Amino acid sequence: MLVISGPSGCGKSTICRSLLEDERVVFSVSATTRAPREGEVDGRDYLFLTPEEFRERAEHGEFIEYAEVHGNLYGTLRGPMDDALAAGRVYLVEIDVQGANQLQRLGVPGIYVFIAPPDFETLRKRLVGRGTDAPEVIERRLLKAHDEYEERVKYDHVVVNDVIERALNEVKGLAGLLPAEETR
Ligand code: ADP
Ligand code: 5GP
């Protein structure tokens, strides 16, 4: 299992999207009880469950972890991970810092990678450039990013996302996804 974590805007999605171009990599699709947003596809973006379905599966121990976020339940299923690992594939989990902490505390084995911004001014520029958040949301995410940055020492590796190709190659090396001559 390869866990890609870090503050909002550090480049988790960008890195995961590129990693998924490799057919040896399987993406962990979370389950949730929240309603699908426009454009979201069941089974691709999330597995959308009713609260009853979610609770039942939780009672059967089907989740590695789950948590309530903003009144909805979110969780990582065990089955797809077991299938991927049995097939010798890399199971890719993109998760926020709090979620990664929880996985670590539960003792879920994996390679835990913290994606760090080169510096906080660059992080601000990237959040602004992404164009998905209002200015006050960006400020909140930046404040949180400072706290989350302190958590990097708990991870197996810290990868600074300076130049995307370089950072991506570093992550691939950690996950054993580079041809032997490139890891030397
Ligand atoms: P996260 O998933 O961690 O919230 P994103 O992958 O959405 O972060 O990245 C935030 C923004 O920064 C996006 O607009 C993305 O295109 C941009 N970005 C990511 N990595 C780099 C990089 N190495 N250099 C420049 N821009 C980047
Ligand atoms: P959204 O509803 O915007 O897609 O996600 C809301 C929050 O749910 C995010 O902060 C995200 O990190 C969290 N989340 C998504 N999937 C999971 C999961 O599988 N487990 C946990 N614990 N949180 C998740």
Side-chain angles (χ1 to χ4, degrees):
M1 184 178 76
L2 174 65
V3 179
I4 297 294
S5 184
S8 179
C10 66
K12 296 183 293 296
S13 304
T14 307
I15 286 171
C16 287
R17 217 175 302 128
S18 296
L19 288 173
L20 283 168
E21 288 169 12
D22 189 319
E23 60 184 23
R24 291 169 292 178
V25 181
V26 182
F27 190 67
S28 169
V29 178
S30 294
T32 183
T33 60
R34 85 150 159 74
R37 295 188 187 126
E38 196 164 331
E40 284 185 332
V41 176
D42 189 30
R44 183 193 70 184
D45 300 289
Y46 280 106
L47 192 62
F48 293 101
L49 302 178
T50 65
E52 293 71 32
E53 284 169 336
F54 197 107
R55 263 194 292 275
E56 198 172 305
R57 296 181 77 156
E59 277 164 21
H60 285 105
E62 288 188 35
F63 290 102
I64 302 169
E65 62 78 37
Y66 65 93
E68 191 176 324
V69 185
H70 311 308
N72 290 302
L73 293 165
Y74 294 83
T76 310
L77 287 160
R78 192 181 303 277
M81 179 179 83
D82 289 344
D83 293 347
L85 298 185
R89 302 173 84 186
V90 171
Y91 194 63
L92 177 62
V93 178
E94 180 189 342
I95 196 161
D96 60 10
V97 173
Q98 185 199 335
N101 271 343
Q102 195 185 355
L103 287 179
Q104 275 180 320
R105 275 201 308 273
L106 290 168
V108 182
I111 303 169
Y112 288 78
V113 181
F114 186 96
I115 307 297
D119 54 74
F120 288 100
E121 196 41 45
T122 305
L123 180 61
R124 179 194 300 274
K125 286 192 184 129
R126 287 182 187 168
L127 282 168
V128 171
R130 187 166 68 179
T132 53
D133 302 303
E136 61 273 20
V137 176
I138 290 179
E139 291 314 310
R140 230 184 299 137
R141 288 187 191 274
L142 278 167
L143 273 178
K144 198 167 165 211
H146 279 88
D147 288 341
E148 290 174 338
Y149 189 64
E150 302 301 321
E151 299 287 312
R152 70 193 183 287
V153 294
K154 295 182 183 164
Y155 287 70
D156 299 316
H157 304 279
V158 177
V159 172
V160 178
N161 181 14
D162 40 20
V163 177
I164 188 64
E165 292 78 12
R166 196 211 61 74
L168 184 60
N169 253 10
E170 194 178 338
V171 174
K172 283 183 181 169
L174 296 172
L177 291 167
L178 288 179
E181 63 271 20
E182 285 184 48
T183 53
R184 255 188 251 132

